[in-house]
Amino acid sequence: MTALEQFKALWVDKEGDRLVSGIKEIELKDLPKEDVLIRVDYSTLNYKEGLGFANLNKIFRIFPMVPGLDLAGTVVASDAATFKPGDKVVLNGWSVGERYWGGYAQMARINSDFLIPLPQGMDTYKAMAIGTAGYTAMLMVLTLEDAGITPEKGPVIVTGAAGGVGSLAVAILSHLGYEVEALTKAGQESTHDYLKDIGAATAFSGGKAWDTLPAPLETQKWAGAVDTVGAQVLARLLSQMAYGGCVAACGLAGGFKLETTVMPFILRGVSLRGVDSVWCPNEQRIRAWDRLVTDIPDDALAKINQTIALAEVPAYAKKILKGQVTGHIVVDVNA
Ligand code: NDP
């Protein structure tokens, strides 16, 4: 595979306080000076990029830039001993697409420390159908496993279940034999058949109770929880965990504040473990990616994913922020 001298990129810049974006033809000399040059096949669109394109939470830190926190593709040139032309690689996180140029272009130059080899048995499309969302979901599953939460311990709940991370967590957990209860916010009942189709045993909407703070301890319901929502939803999960249960928390789609009490921790031995995908050490990344080769069925990935063209990213970024996207999005940077 050869490098493209001129290629398409989704360009983001600032005009005063205003963010402007659009497709631009750029050249290899425009790319940052990093040690591995990659021909990109696919990237992804996530909630974080929704925030970025809306100019919220200071996601995009340098201007101009090419966003895209994920990419999968083929090395075409490398100054690093660890990669050679022809190697298939995958990239998630490390602040790429925030502080460094990312995957929304047909070519990318990336720091070799940020890359991992594509696992055996996975192609670049599958890697991005999983993306940061699926890799984060797998990190949360590993967190539950490390806490001793096996399928025999009882049902597990996934919140924000119809989103990217949530959907992929539902599919992985059900494939591994867990009884999965999928929680969506009120008004998202139309996603419940989809959630059962990808493996949830039940799907339910939070209703008003999930928008309010719970009692310190409520009826024990779940052995494990994967939370992408935070705020009152996470507070309620904690008060409803079964004795010895574990909550793996990665997200703040419902808010970043957490008002809770020590009761679940000191009277039920519940644990709350945070999951971060961005700065996660390589050893744990590779552990997660190796598991993803086998632990997520292809038919579930096909139901969860839709593929969009590079030029469609800004429009879909608005939709993802409004909660109008079900499942996960692959970006075909060559379309
Ligand atoms: P999506 O937008 O795809 O999914 C978020 C889901 O959360 C929505 O689909 C919706 O699910 C639910 N939701 C949204 N708003 C609210 C609300 N106000 N109250 C309750 N539920 C809500 O996002 P992603 O899956 O990409 O990311 C999910 C979260 O995880 C985000 O906060 C993201 O920043 C975080 N994240 C963190 C990572 C880490 O490394 N820590 C890595 C990846 C993501 P439903 O329709 O089912 O109600």
Side-chain angles (χ1 to χ4, degrees), residues 210 227 229-239 247 249 251 258 272:
W210 287 82
D227 179 50
V229 174
Q232 291 95 322
V233 167
L234 177 52
R236 190 161 296 272
L237 285 182
L238 288 167
S239 73
V247 180
L258 176 59
L272 171 60

Side-chain angles (χ1 to χ4, degrees), residues 33-37 77-80 82 109-113 115:
K33 309 260 173 292
E34 301 289 359
D35 57 354
V36 180
L37 181 66
S78 171
D79 293 330
T82 37
R109 256 203 214 99
I110 302 287
N111 181 335
S112 54
D113 291 342
L115 298 169

Side-chain angles (χ1 to χ4, degrees), residues 47 136 160-165 184-185 188 228-229 250-253 275 277 320:
Y47 188 82
T136 305
V165 178
T184 68
K185 62 180 186 293
Q188 293 291 86
T228 70
V229 174
C250 82
L252 41 57
V275 169
S277 65
I320 204 167

